Amino acid sequence: MTAPSTYGLSTQARNLQWLLTDLVEEVPGVNSVAVVSSDGLLLLSSDPAGAGRSPSPAKGPRGASADLATIVSGLGSLTTGAAALMEGGGVKQTMVAMEHGSVFVMSISDGSLLGVHATPDCDMSVVAYHMALFVGRAGHVLTPEVRSELRQSMEKTP
């Protein structure tokens, strides 16, 4: 993964990008990661230029960050609706195990979501643990101001 540019970002936004980069690089089996706002917009990605590049077939879904953000947003919405129908309370985590990979979605704060696309042989408990660490560290930092800054920086990414 190429480290994204953090030039011009606030300390909080740079820290969030660092946490996301660390999640991808340090957790075995993680292909890509996306943070999505409550309205479905991509805030952070392990591949910020992914919408314009073609990733290798072994990495991430086609279209990289934009597709992962769409999947994360859709799964988040679907599981929130299902939880409401079943009177199950708030959704903490969603996991989809597929033949060729897994997708994890975890609530951060204010409706924001953390999504991870991982290999089929990943240790799901390790991925979930590191996602929980990210959520714990990022939740209080992801203020409306930082979300706005991250959204603007993603729009400027070529």
Side-chain angles (χ1 to χ4, degrees):
M1 179 182 110
T2 306
S5 172
T6 57
Y7 178 76
L9 293 179
S10 67
T11 301
Q12 294 89 348
R14 285 193 312 270
N15 286 343
L16 286 171
Q17 187 63 57
W18 178 84
L19 286 171
L20 184 122
T21 300
D22 191 53
L23 179 64
V24 174
E25 292 179 352
E26 299 299 322
V27 181
V30 171
N31 287 331
S32 57
V33 181
V35 175
V36 180
S37 67
S38 60
D39 53 0
L41 296 175
L42 183 63
L43 297 178
L44 278 172
S45 172
S46 59
D47 180 22
R53 294 193 326 218
S54 1
S56 66
K59 294 283 187 186
R62 284 183 216 95
S65 58
D67 281 354
L68 183 57
T70 301
I71 292 164
V72 168
S73 182
L75 283 172
S77 179
L78 178 66
T79 56
T80 298
L85 284 172
M86 292 190 246
E87 298 177 0
V91 177
K92 295 179 182 179
Q93 181 177 0
T94 303
M95 196 276 297
V96 179
M98 302 168 285
E99 186 176 339
H100 299 290
S102 298
V103 175
F104 301 82
V105 179
M106 190 174 283
S107 299
I108 298 176
S109 63
D110 191 31
S112 298
L113 301 167
L114 170 65
V116 171
H117 175 241
T119 61
D121 60 345
C122 73
D123 185 332
M124 293 179 190
S125 61
V126 170
V127 173
Y129 172 75
H130 284 277
M131 287 177 72
L133 287 178
F134 180 96
V135 166
R137 294 173 180 154
H140 68 282
V141 177
L142 205 52
T143 63
E145 294 80 18
V146 173
R147 281 194 300 274
S148 177
E149 178 184 1
L150 291 170
R151 193 175 295 145
Q152 289 172 1
S153 73
M154 290 302 291
E155 291 171 359
K156 293 177 186 175
T157 302

